[in-house]
Amino acid sequence: MSEAVSTLEGWYALHDFRQIDWTGWKSLAADERKSAIDELLTQTSIWGQSEDDKQGSSAFYVIIGHKADLLFVHLRPTLEELSQVETQFNKSKLAEFTSPDYSYLSVVELSNYVSKPDVDPETDPYIQGRLKPTLPKNKHVCFYPMNKKREGNDNWYMLPMEERREMMRSHGMIGRSYAGRVTQLITGSVGLDDWEWGVSLFSDDPLVFKKLVYEMRFDEASARFGEFGSFLVGNRLSEEDLINYLTV
Amino acid sequence: MSEAVSTLEGWYALHDFRQIDWTGWKSLAADERKSAIDELLTQTSIWGQSEDDKQGSSAFYVIIGHKADLLFVHLRPTLEELSQVETQFNKSKLAEFTSPDYSYLSVVELSNYVSKPDVDPETDPYIQGRLKPTLPKNKHVCFYPMNKKREGNDNWYMLPMEERREMMRSHGMIGRSYAGRVTQLITGSVGLDDWEWGVSLFSDDPLVFKKLVYEMRFDEASARFGEFGSFLVGNRLSEEDLINYLTV
Amino acid sequence: MSEAVSTLEGWYALHDFRQIDWTGWKSLAADERKSAIDELLTQTSIWGQSEDDKQGSSAFYVIIGHKADLLFVHLRPTLEELSQVETQFNKSKLAEFTSPDYSYLSVVELSNYVSKPDVDPETDPYIQGRLKPTLPKNKHVCFYPMNKKREGNDNWYMLPMEERREMMRSHGMIGRSYAGRVTQLITGSVGLDDWEWGVSLFSDDPLVFKKLVYEMRFDEASARFGEFGSFLVGNRLSEEDLINYLTV
Amino acid sequence: MSEAVSTLEGWYALHDFRQIDWTGWKSLAADERKSAIDELLTQTSIWGQSEDDKQGSSAFYVIIGHKADLLFVHLRPTLEELSQVETQFNKSKLAEFTSPDYSYLSVVELSNYVSKPDVDPETDPYIQGRLKPTLPKNKHVCFYPMNKKREGNDNWYMLPMEERREMMRSHGMIGRSYAGRVTQLITGSVGLDDWEWGVSLFSDDPLVFKKLVYEMRFDEASARFGEFGSFLVGNRLSEEDLINYLTV
Amino acid sequence: MSEAVSTLEGWYALHDFRQIDWTGWKSLAADERKSAIDELLTQTSIWGQSEDDKQGSSAFYVIIGHKADLLFVHLRPTLEELSQVETQFNKSKLAEFTSPDYSYLSVVELSNYVSKPDVDPETDPYIQGRLKPTLPKNKHVCFYPMNKKREGNDNWYMLPMEERREMMRSHGMIGRSYAGRVTQLITGSVGLDDWEWGVSLFSDDPLVFKKLVYEMRFDEASARFGEFGSFLVGNRLSEEDLINYLTV
């Protein structure tokens, strides 16, 4: 009988992808555009306050290609707060010129496949820091959702715990060999969104996204059991970058 | 020869997901917005009357992410009543600022895999209460549709009844271990909508959605035979919350 | 070597699903709405004339959920007539406020899996009546398209005729056990539309749709070989109901 | 080691499916509609000139159902000419009231599975006529794209040439039994569009589309190896029919 | 234990497919159209400057069929530059009349399956030229994304390196037999976009696209392991062609 691995959960995460209606935005009077940007900056400053208060973290990115223009990532302690952040943006002036083409709801997750015996995760500062993280400031982001396959003989959820643990250990070792070059944020979404996990990678060198994911694809955990959704890649925007981006 | 398990059916259910056109809604004059909200409240009060009369139940939620903004869940004794509720909303002022992006038609179902011999379901108060339930007031909702797989060796419908019964029993025991933390509403949709069942979970702690669905995924009934559609998660709105949500 | 079962074909069928633009419809002046409804009633009266002349049959339904608002079902002797009916509606005033979200083209089909030796289908009144039927007046409709699977060991089209015949016989017996409670119209669409068959069920009790399709799903013909598309369910509209439905 | 069968190619083909915006078209002033139709007729006359000059062939159809309203089929010697025909239509007045919902790019193909030894295809009039055909004038058209499957044990491209040849021979014999009742135009689209082939059937009796495709589906080449896309069926329009169709 | 083959990466690539809103474009005043084209030519001249400076390469094409009208291919050393090129176009006047229907983000890749021992790829001029190429001037382009399959027994990523190397060698020999007739640009997109690779073919004879891809499909690397996305084919536009194309 297989059994579920226990997991630890932290903050809820909303990846909120938006397409910009440049034609509408450009047709807006300059002072209305300015006031829309000011309104956005008021929101980003509220988001920053949550981060300063250790009550969440937010970051924004320009996405490359047709799938989206902007990505807002929000981490918050509760679904109520996530919903409020989303709704406040939806009611803003700028939102009139964006459409919500994609999003992902999940919760920061640490798996217990590799756990330490003498640590109380509820109080351990390292674990708490990973469950309630501040989003890194790296130049690039890569987001993709994934499942573990359940097809014929390749059924992750029918494997014995020990076999899964061994594959995850090997998988983790690949990840560790990229330490310092990439930060990985795993968010669980079983029961929350259409895939089982979201993966957010942060790096100053986007080639690392390709190298890491490609190397893992030859690892049995991915090769036999990984199912992947859309990959979305972007560049981090500071508030100043965001203003420049919206300047037309 | 396999055989169908007998089922009991209660009220019909419509899960009606709507996207809000905030730009249009904001551009409406304040008094027109007020009168649109008043019209909605008249409808919600009619819905509430049905609930008081034990002739159905309705609830509404704000959905997180791009898949929808609002979810209306309606339970009614007949398809005519469900259609009427839907059409009345479609003709309302507020509906001009929503688009019906997703919906699900099903009927409350109790499976007889685990039935008691000496009970007449047509009169038993407990069973009748479950077939014609009042929607719970928990803070969060999770909805997803699902199938039992029919692929190669993983064909649920070719299994002997006894094997299915045993798997459903084990499945049900996981569910029972969450008793008190989550309320589960199973609605059947074979012949009614694109998947075989809808699952609606209600809880005050959304993490329970993740924990429950994840634990079940390792159970053979899900691991080998479960196929899942989109997961939609939201926060319950009281009438007052709904008014606040629509205030711009 | 497998061989195709011979089939008998009757009238061509168009299931024409439409979404209503309620906002536009409501914004139309009352007299223009009235004249649009009058124009529609002229068309429905032409359709009724075809039915009286035994040159076809038409019916209309309100569909529950987001997939469509209205369904027009048209049976006609030729594709030219079907196209004409569709085009005339497309050019009408009401059509300006509908979008054609889904449709299905097929032809009434009787399979010869179970045929009688001494009957000439071209003249037999019973068979001719089933090939050129008047659509029943039941309160509810259920439409779905389906295929017979061709995957690995579950390949319907590679089975010997005798095995297929036996499975269809068993399948038909389930159908017959619902006699009097449901009317089934099978239309073939190989070479005409994206699935191999359309199934239209008519009943005064929509629970019968669920019971029948669910019971059949445990039958090998469906369990191993059935692939199903979207299920669309609705309530029949008389001309008076249709007028009421369109009254805003 | 499998090997590709050699093929002969003729003219390039564009199947260009269009949806009509009837509301916009009707709102156009009558004289503008007339001038838009005149402009279209100028284009169809240029297309006819190409046909007279043996430099291509064009035909148009009304499609039944929601997938499209009009189908233009163009055969031309080069991609430059195909692109020019498409672009000229896109820039026309009528095109303002159509949207290009689907299309298919391919090239007329004859397979060498069954070839004759003593024939030079570059000069043989029969082969040249089939590679550079004038589109037939039959009343009905059926178009669908298809692949040969590459799944597990059902992998067409891993079969020995001889086995493929034998299956194609048997497949062709079914086709030949419909000689005189249907004209079949095979266009290859590997490297050109999303499926490997397009199939265009032309007949005065649309039931032949169903009978032919259904009978072939029991043939191993289709039963085990055929994968099919959308089927689109329509009625041929003469220029006069086209004018009538566009008259509102 | 399988292991990833090492790869070399060069410039990042954005394939940016756009649909033109001809109705809107035609409704623009002639002088505004002219100034929009002038603005575009300013951008193409900046793109040309990057090419002259060996800091990237850009080319544009008209795509045949409904999937897109225009394709811009951009190669640049960094994601920041790619994003800037995309954003500048998005903010332009012409972009108001285009919609970004599809795109592909990848990076020029050379695989080491067949590598030479005594060469330092970081300095070797041939390799550097292939990693940072100038886009060829051929008349036609074909783009498609692809994966290596991971299904049951057909799992590329579970094969021993030696087996993969042998299949890629055989695959490469087919490619080489087309030398001089087609130029192939392989871009890797694991971790960057939804497929694992993008393939861009350039040729003066579009039939070569079909012949090459079809022949490869019988090769085990494709037959068993190739999964293909949409194929998009177009004709190269010089700046003068582009102006003509946009002239209405």
Side-chain angles (χ1 to χ4, degrees):
Chain A
M1 172 60 51
S2 290
E3 58 181 63
V5 68
S6 67
T7 51
L8 300 171
E9 282 82 13
W11 283 340
Y12 289 93
L14 181 66
H15 291 69
D16 188 352
F17 294 89
R18 302 274 169 161
Q19 202 90 36
I20 293 181
D21 165 17
W22 289 107
T23 304
W25 179 243
K26 288 192 297 182
S27 74
L28 202 62
D31 60 330
E32 291 190 86
R33 277 202 305 267
K34 185 179 178 316
S35 101
I37 292 177
D38 287 346
E39 185 189 19
L40 175 66
L41 294 178
T42 302
Q43 295 194 329
T44 62
S45 115
I46 293 170
W47 303 343
Q49 190 58 51
S50 295
E51 194 165 302
D52 293 344
D53 297 346
K54 309 288 179 198
Q55 291 301 307
S57 184
S58 292
F60 20 100
Y61 307 87
V62 55
I63 297 296
I64 296 155
H66 75 296
K67 287 182 248 172
D69 288 314
L70 286 175
L71 160 62
F72 298 98
V73 181
H74 301 294
L75 307 181
R76 290 294 180 283
T78 66
L79 280 195
E80 284 85 349
E81 288 157 290
L82 267 193
S83 178
Q84 195 178 26
V85 167
E86 183 194 5
T87 299
Q88 277 176 350
F89 182 79
N90 279 340
K91 292 181 178 180
S92 74
K93 187 70 185 172
L94 179 62
E96 296 182 22
F97 306 98
T98 75
S99 55
D101 281 17
Y102 187 52
S103 70
Y104 207 76
L105 177 64
S106 51
V107 61
V108 180
E109 175 185 303
L110 291 179
S111 143
N112 250 355
Y113 277 116
V114 188
S115 66
K116 297 178 191 156
D118 298 325
V119 169
D120 175 4
E122 294 300 320
T123 57
D124 182 74
Y126 172 74
I127 288 179
Q128 287 295 307
R130 289 191 59 193
L131 290 174
K132 301 169 183 174
T134 297
L135 292 163
K137 307 292 187 235
N138 297 282
K139 286 194 275 182
H140 303 284
V141 70
C142 169
F143 174 80
Y144 60 94
M146 60 169 294
N147 284 341
K148 289 297 187 193
K149 210 183 271 186
R150 299 178 290 114
E151 283 179 20
N153 292 321
D154 297 339
N155 191 323
W156 178 261
Y157 294 90
M158 295 296 285
L159 296 178
M161 164 77 92
E162 202 42 52
E163 208 170 318
R164 282 180 279 130
R165 189 192 305 273
E166 177 53 32
M167 277 193 269
M168 290 311 288
R169 201 191 52 79
S170 156
H171 204 61
M173 281 178 60
I174 297 178
R176 262 198 294 281
S177 74
Y178 284 82
R181 286 183 289 161
V182 64
T183 301
Q184 184 174 273
L185 178 70
I186 302 295
T187 51
S189 44
V190 173
L192 298 177
D193 213 320
D194 299 358
W195 297 77
E196 296 169 351
W197 289 275
V199 179
S200 302
L201 305 176
F202 305 89
S203 177
D204 289 332
D205 178 4
L207 208 52
V208 170
F209 301 149
K210 178 179 186 285
K211 295 286 190 186
L212 170 61
V213 179
Y214 189 60
E215 188 173 343
M216 283 186 165
R217 197 146 297 180
F218 287 89
D219 193 59
E220 192 172 358
S222 282
R224 275 186 65 199
F225 298 105
E227 284 181 338
F228 302 96
S230 265
F231 285 77
L232 295 123
V233 168
N235 303 330
R236 188 172 174 274
L237 297 174
S238 66
E239 287 194 9
E240 196 183 330
D241 296 332
L242 183 58
I243 296 171
N244 285 338
Y245 179 72
L246 291 172
T247 300
V248 289
Chain B
M1 171 64 47
S2 290
E3 59 182 61
V5 69
S6 67
T7 51
L8 300 170
E9 282 81 14
W11 284 340
Y12 289 92
L14 181 66
H15 290 70
D16 188 353
F17 295 89
R18 302 273 169 161
Q19 202 90 36
I20 293 181
D21 166 17
W22 289 107
T23 304
W25 179 242
K26 288 190 300 181
S27 74
L28 202 62
D31 61 330
E32 291 190 87
R33 276 202 306 267
K34 184 179 180 315
S35 103
I37 292 177
D38 287 345
E39 185 189 19
L40 175 66
L41 294 178
T42 303
Q43 296 193 329
T44 62
S45 115
I46 293 171
W47 303 344
Q49 191 58 51
S50 295
E51 194 164 302
D52 293 344
D53 297 346
K54 308 288 180 200
Q55 291 301 307
S57 184
S58 292
F60 20 100
Y61 306 87
V62 55
I63 297 295
I64 296 155
H66 76 295
K67 287 182 247 171
D69 288 314
L70 286 175
L71 160 62
F72 299 98
V73 181
H74 300 294
L75 306 181
R76 290 294 181 282
T78 66
L79 280 196
E80 284 86 349
E81 288 157 289
L82 267 194
S83 178
Q84 194 178 28
V85 167
E86 183 195 5
T87 300
Q88 277 176 349
F89 181 79
N90 279 340
K91 292 181 178 179
S92 74
K93 187 71 186 171
L94 179 62
E96 296 182 21
F97 305 97
T98 75
S99 56
D101 281 18
Y102 186 53
S103 70
Y104 207 76
L105 176 65
S106 51
V107 60
V108 180
E109 175 185 304
L110 291 179
S111 143
N112 250 355
Y113 277 114
V114 189
S115 65
K116 296 178 191 156
D118 299 326
V119 169
D120 175 4
E122 295 300 320
T123 57
D124 182 74
Y126 172 73
I127 287 179
Q128 286 296 307
R130 287 191 59 193
L131 291 174
K132 301 169 183 175
T134 297
L135 291 163
K137 307 291 188 236
N138 297 283
K139 286 194 274 183
H140 302 284
V141 70
C142 169
F143 174 78
Y144 60 94
M146 61 169 294
N147 284 341
K148 289 297 189 193
K149 209 183 273 187
R150 298 179 290 114
E151 283 179 20
N153 292 321
D154 296 339
N155 191 324
W156 178 260
Y157 293 91
M158 294 296 285
L159 295 178
M161 165 76 92
E162 202 40 54
E163 207 170 318
R164 283 180 278 129
R165 189 192 305 272
E166 178 53 31
M167 277 193 269
M168 289 313 288
R169 201 191 53 79
S170 157
H171 203 64
M173 280 178 60
I174 297 178
R176 261 197 296 280
S177 75
Y178 284 82
R181 286 183 289 161
V182 65
T183 300
Q184 183 174 274
L185 177 69
I186 302 294
T187 52
S189 45
V190 173
L192 298 177
D193 214 320
D194 300 359
W195 298 76
E196 296 168 352
W197 289 276
V199 179
S200 302
L201 304 176
F202 305 89
S203 178
D204 289 333
D205 178 4
L207 208 52
V208 170
F209 301 149
K210 178 179 185 284
K211 295 286 192 187
L212 170 62
V213 180
Y214 188 61
E215 188 173 343
M216 283 185 165
R217 197 146 298 180
F218 288 88
D219 193 60
E220 191 173 359
S222 282
R224 274 187 64 199
F225 297 107
E227 283 180 338
F228 303 96
S230 265
F231 286 75
L232 295 123
V233 168
N235 303 330
R236 189 172 174 274
L237 297 174
S238 67
E239 288 194 8
E240 196 183 329
D241 296 332
L242 183 58
I243 295 170
N244 286 338
Y245 179 72
L246 291 172
T247 300
V248 288
Chain C
M1 172 63 49
S2 291
E3 60 181 61
V5 68
S6 67
T7 52
L8 300 170
E9 282 82 13
W11 284 340
Y12 289 92
L14 181 66
H15 291 69
D16 188 352
F17 295 89
R18 302 273 169 161
Q19 202 91 35
I20 293 181
D21 165 17
W22 289 106
T23 305
W25 179 242
K26 288 190 299 181
S27 73
L28 202 62
D31 61 330
E32 291 189 87
R33 276 203 305 267
K34 185 182 179 313
S35 102
I37 292 177
D38 287 346
E39 184 189 20
L40 175 66
L41 294 179
T42 304
Q43 295 194 330
T44 62
S45 117
I46 294 171
W47 303 343
Q49 191 59 50
S50 294
E51 193 164 302
D52 293 344
D53 297 346
K54 309 288 182 199
Q55 291 301 307
S57 184
S58 292
F60 21 100
Y61 307 87
V62 54
I63 296 295
I64 296 154
H66 76 295
K67 287 182 247 172
D69 288 314
L70 285 174
L71 160 61
F72 299 99
V73 181
H74 301 294
L75 306 181
R76 290 296 181 282
T78 66
L79 281 196
E80 283 85 349
E81 288 158 290
L82 268 194
S83 177
Q84 194 178 28
V85 167
E86 183 195 5
T87 300
Q88 277 175 351
F89 181 79
N90 279 341
K91 292 181 179 178
S92 75
K93 188 71 186 171
L94 179 63
E96 297 183 20
F97 306 97
T98 75
S99 55
D101 281 17
Y102 187 52
S103 70
Y104 207 77
L105 177 65
S106 51
V107 60
V108 180
E109 175 185 303
L110 291 179
S111 143
N112 250 355
Y113 277 115
V114 189
S115 65
K116 296 177 190 156
D118 299 325
V119 170
D120 175 3
E122 294 300 320
T123 57
D124 181 74
Y126 173 73
I127 288 179
Q128 286 296 308
R130 288 192 58 193
L131 291 174
K132 301 169 183 174
T134 296
L135 291 163
K137 306 293 187 234
N138 297 282
K139 286 194 274 183
H140 302 285
V141 71
C142 168
F143 173 79
Y144 60 95
M146 61 169 294
N147 284 342
K148 289 297 189 193
K149 209 182 274 189
R150 299 178 289 115
E151 282 180 21
N153 292 321
D154 296 340
N155 191 323
W156 179 260
Y157 293 91
M158 295 295 286
L159 296 178
M161 165 77 91
E162 203 40 54
E163 208 170 317
R164 282 180 278 130
R165 189 192 306 273
E166 179 52 32
M167 277 193 270
M168 290 312 289
R169 201 191 54 79
S170 156
H171 203 64
M173 281 177 61
I174 297 177
R176 262 197 296 280
S177 75
Y178 284 82
R181 287 182 289 161
V182 65
T183 300
Q184 183 174 273
L185 178 69
I186 302 294
T187 51
S189 45
V190 173
L192 298 177
D193 214 320
D194 299 359
W195 298 75
E196 296 169 351
W197 289 276
V199 179
S200 302
L201 304 176
F202 305 89
S203 177
D204 288 334
D205 178 4
L207 208 52
V208 171
F209 301 149
K210 178 179 186 284
K211 295 285 192 188
L212 170 61
V213 180
Y214 188 61
E215 188 173 344
M216 283 186 166
R217 196 145 299 179
F218 288 89
D219 193 59
E220 191 173 359
S222 281
R224 274 187 64 199
F225 297 106
E227 284 181 338
F228 303 96
S230 266
F231 286 76
L232 295 123
V233 168
N235 303 331
R236 188 171 174 275
L237 298 174
S238 66
E239 287 194 7
E240 195 183 330
D241 296 331
L242 183 58
I243 295 170
N244 285 338
Y245 179 73
L246 291 172
T247 299
V248 288
Chain D
M1 171 62 49
S2 290
E3 59 183 61
V5 68
S6 67
T7 52
L8 300 171
E9 282 83 13
W11 284 340
Y12 289 92
L14 181 66
H15 290 70
D16 188 353
F17 294 90
R18 303 272 169 162
Q19 202 91 35
I20 293 181
D21 165 18
W22 289 106
T23 305
W25 179 242
K26 287 191 298 180
S27 74
L28 201 61
D31 61 331
E32 291 190 86
R33 277 203 304 267
K34 185 181 179 311
S35 103
I37 293 178
D38 287 346
E39 184 188 19
L40 175 66
L41 293 178
T42 303
Q43 295 193 329
T44 62
S45 117
I46 292 171
W47 303 342
Q49 190 60 50
S50 295
E51 193 164 304
D52 294 344
D53 296 347
K54 309 289 181 197
Q55 291 300 308
S57 184
S58 293
F60 20 99
Y61 306 87
V62 55
I63 296 296
I64 296 154
H66 76 296
K67 287 183 249 172
D69 289 314
L70 285 176
L71 160 62
F72 298 98
V73 181
H74 301 293
L75 306 181
R76 290 295 181 282
T78 66
L79 281 195
E80 284 85 349
E81 288 158 289
L82 268 193
S83 177
Q84 194 179 27
V85 167
E86 183 195 5
T87 300
Q88 276 176 349
F89 181 79
N90 279 340
K91 293 181 179 179
S92 75
K93 188 71 186 172
L94 179 62
E96 296 182 20
F97 306 97
T98 75
S99 56
D101 281 17
Y102 186 52
S103 70
Y104 207 75
L105 176 64
S106 51
V107 61
V108 180
E109 175 185 304
L110 291 179
S111 141
N112 250 354
Y113 277 116
V114 189
S115 65
K116 295 176 192 159
D118 300 324
V119 170
D120 175 3
E122 295 300 320
T123 57
D124 182 74
Y126 172 74
I127 288 179
Q128 286 295 309
R130 288 191 59 195
L131 291 174
K132 301 169 183 174
T134 296
L135 292 163
K137 307 291 187 233
N138 297 282
K139 285 195 274 184
H140 303 285
V141 70
C142 169
F143 173 79
Y144 60 95
M146 62 169 294
N147 284 342
K148 290 296 187 192
K149 208 183 274 188
R150 299 178 290 114
E151 282 180 21
N153 292 321
D154 296 341
N155 191 323
W156 178 260
Y157 293 91
M158 294 296 285
L159 295 178
M161 165 77 91
E162 202 40 55
E163 209 170 315
R164 281 180 279 130
R165 189 192 305 273
E166 179 52 32
M167 277 193 269
M168 289 313 289
R169 202 191 53 78
S170 156
H171 204 63
M173 280 178 61
I174 297 177
R176 262 197 295 280
S177 75
Y178 284 82
R181 285 183 290 161
V182 65
T183 300
Q184 184 174 273
L185 178 69
I186 302 293
T187 51
S189 45
V190 173
L192 298 177
D193 213 321
D194 299 0
W195 297 76
E196 296 169 350
W197 288 276
V199 179
S200 302
L201 305 176
F202 304 89
S203 176
D204 289 334
D205 178 4
L207 208 52
V208 171
F209 301 149
K210 177 180 186 284
K211 295 286 191 187
L212 170 61
V213 180
Y214 188 61
E215 188 174 344
M216 283 186 165
R217 196 146 298 180
F218 288 89
D219 192 60
E220 193 173 358
S222 282
R224 276 186 64 200
F225 297 105
E227 283 181 338
F228 302 97
S230 266
F231 286 76
L232 296 123
V233 168
N235 302 331
R236 187 172 175 274
L237 297 174
S238 67
E239 287 194 7
E240 195 182 330
D241 296 331
L242 183 58
I243 295 170
N244 285 339
Y245 179 72
L246 291 171
T247 300
V248 288
Chain E
M1 173 61 52
S2 291
E3 59 183 61
V5 68
S6 66
T7 50
L8 300 171
E9 283 82 12
W11 284 340
Y12 289 93
L14 180 66
H15 290 71
D16 188 354
F17 294 90
R18 302 273 168 161
Q19 202 90 36
I20 293 181
D21 166 17
W22 289 106
T23 304
W25 178 242
K26 288 191 298 181
S27 74
L28 201 62
D31 60 331
E32 291 190 86
R33 277 202 305 267
K34 185 178 178 317
S35 102
I37 292 178
D38 287 346
E39 185 188 19
L40 175 66
L41 293 179
T42 302
Q43 296 193 329
T44 61
S45 115
I46 293 171
W47 303 343
Q49 190 59 50
S50 295
E51 194 165 303
D52 293 344
D53 297 346
K54 309 289 180 197
Q55 290 301 307
S57 184
S58 291
F60 20 100
Y61 306 86
V62 55
I63 297 296
I64 296 155
H66 75 297
K67 287 182 248 172
D69 289 314
L70 285 175
L71 160 62
F72 298 99
V73 181
H74 301 293
L75 308 181
R76 290 294 181 282
T78 66
L79 280 195
E80 283 86 350
E81 288 158 289
L82 268 193
S83 178
Q84 194 179 27
V85 166
E86 183 194 5
T87 300
Q88 277 176 350
F89 182 79
N90 279 341
K91 292 181 179 178
S92 74
K93 187 70 186 173
L94 179 62
E96 296 182 21
F97 306 97
T98 75
S99 55
D101 281 16
Y102 187 52
S103 70
Y104 206 76
L105 176 64
S106 52
V107 60
V108 180
E109 175 185 304
L110 291 179
S111 142
N112 250 355
Y113 277 116
V114 188
S115 65
K116 296 176 192 159
D118 300 325
V119 170
D120 175 5
E122 294 300 321
T123 57
D124 182 74
Y126 172 73
I127 288 179
Q128 286 296 308
R130 289 191 59 194
L131 291 174
K132 301 169 183 173
T134 296
L135 291 163
K137 307 291 187 235
N138 296 282
K139 286 195 273 183
H140 302 286
V141 69
C142 169
F143 174 79
Y144 60 95
M146 60 169 294
N147 285 341
K148 289 296 187 192
K149 210 183 272 187
R150 298 178 291 114
E151 283 180 21
N153 292 321
D154 296 340
N155 191 324
W156 178 260
Y157 294 91
M158 294 296 285
L159 296 178
M161 164 77 91
E162 202 41 53
E163 208 169 316
R164 282 181 277 129
R165 189 191 306 273
E166 178 53 31
M167 277 194 268
M168 289 312 289
R169 200 190 54 79
S170 155
H171 204 61
M173 281 178 61
I174 297 178
R176 262 197 295 281
S177 74
Y178 283 83
R181 286 183 290 161
V182 65
T183 300
Q184 183 174 274
L185 178 70
I186 302 294
T187 51
S189 45
V190 173
L192 299 178
D193 213 320
D194 299 0
W195 298 76
E196 296 170 349
W197 288 275
V199 179
S200 302
L201 304 176
F202 305 89
S203 177
D204 288 332
D205 178 4
L207 209 52
V208 171
F209 301 148
K210 178 179 186 284
K211 294 286 190 186
L212 170 61
V213 179
Y214 188 60
E215 188 173 345
M216 283 186 165
R217 196 145 300 179
F218 287 89
D219 193 60
E220 193 173 358
S222 282
R224 274 185 66 199
F225 298 105
E227 284 180 339
F228 302 96
S230 266
F231 285 76
L232 295 122
V233 168
N235 303 330
R236 188 173 174 274
L237 297 174
S238 66
E239 288 194 7
E240 196 183 329
D241 296 331
L242 182 59
I243 295 170
N244 285 338
Y245 179 72
L246 291 172
T247 299
V248 288

